[in-house]
Amino acid sequence: TGWFEHNKVEIARMYQDLVLPTVDVQAQRVELARVRASEQKARALFQGFHPYRIFARLLFPAMGKATEKFSRAQTAVNEARIACALERYRLRHGAFPEKLDALAPEFLARVPHDLINGEPLKYRRTEDGGFVLYSVGWNEKDDGGETVWEKGKPPRQDTSAGDWVWRCPAK
């Protein structure tokens, strides 16, 4: 049991040292440079055999994706909050606003920013009367609100490429 307990401690230590520092909770930012540095440190830790890292070698790749999954989920929540505020704005004023700043403080206390780069989320009204709202996503590049799809059935969004988009077509 001691060998198993040492493995659990090693996994917890790696999570604490390599995964948790990638998210700045106070600033509500994900530091992708830290994510990449942590991935590099993890690969270095797994070089060679170590009896207390057997389970970590198996489990840590999935745990390493936790930051990306958290970022995508929190971005979806932020986009949903903004989309609701945009709809409330449209109902009151007859059209979506030109800029997201118009939502605060009446419809949102504060407009959430992009977790990836700390800038405002990208927003534009569309010609058909809808809007596109998006984060630059995991690749840190503004792809103009384009989503990348993986091949396969059913097709799935590739969250590591392209933007993380909330699209609202006109009614």
Side-chain angles (χ1 to χ4, degrees):
T1 62
W3 173 82
F4 185 69
E5 295 300 319
H6 276 288
N7 270 269
K8 289 190 331 189
V9 167
E10 190 66 24
I11 291 169
R13 185 176 294 135
M14 290 178 71
Y15 189 76
Q16 183 176 1
D17 295 344
L18 300 177
V19 176
L20 291 180
T22 62
V23 177
D24 183 342
V25 176
Q26 296 301 323
Q28 295 183 3
R29 287 281 318 275
V30 174
E31 303 290 341
L32 291 183
R34 288 184 187 172
V35 170
R36 292 184 188 98
S38 291
E39 288 170 350
Q40 214 168 23
K41 287 178 188 176
R43 280 192 293 278
L45 286 172
F46 296 141
Q47 295 298 316
F49 174 77
H50 193 287
Y52 299 153
R53 293 193 187 121
I54 290 172
F55 291 123
R57 183 179 282 203
L58 297 171
L59 298 174
F60 202 75
M63 287 174 53
K65 295 282 186 190
T67 303
E68 182 179 347
K69 289 178 181 179
F70 152 78
S71 302
R72 178 65 186 109
Q74 185 60 54
T75 296
V77 168
N78 290 347
E79 288 174 347
R81 289 180 56 223
I82 292 171
C84 290
L86 285 165
E87 181 62 16
R88 290 173 56 214
Y89 183 98
R90 185 191 67 78
L91 290 171
R92 174 157 305 157
H93 299 284
F96 292 117
E98 289 289 326
K99 297 183 180 215
L100 292 177
D101 295 342
L103 301 175
E106 185 178 4
F107 300 102
L108 285 172
R110 185 177 56 80
V111 179
H113 61 268
D114 194 330
L115 297 176
I116 303 300
N117 62 13
E119 297 174 7
L121 287 164
K122 309 294 184 198
Y123 164 77
R124 69 175 178 271
R125 297 187 315 180
T126 57
E127 291 179 11
D128 66 358
F131 67 86
V132 175
L133 174 67
Y134 64 95
S135 162
V136 296
W138 204 247
N139 65 358
E140 298 181 271
K141 189 175 91 181
D142 185 349
D143 294 305
E146 293 301 316
T147 303
V148 175
W149 297 95
E150 295 176 351
K151 292 183 169 96
K153 293 198 180 206
R156 293 182 348 161
Q157 182 181 356
D158 181 356
T159 57
S160 63
D163 296 328
W164 296 342
V165 183
W166 184 288
R167 198 173 304 274
C168 178
K171 301 214 175 354

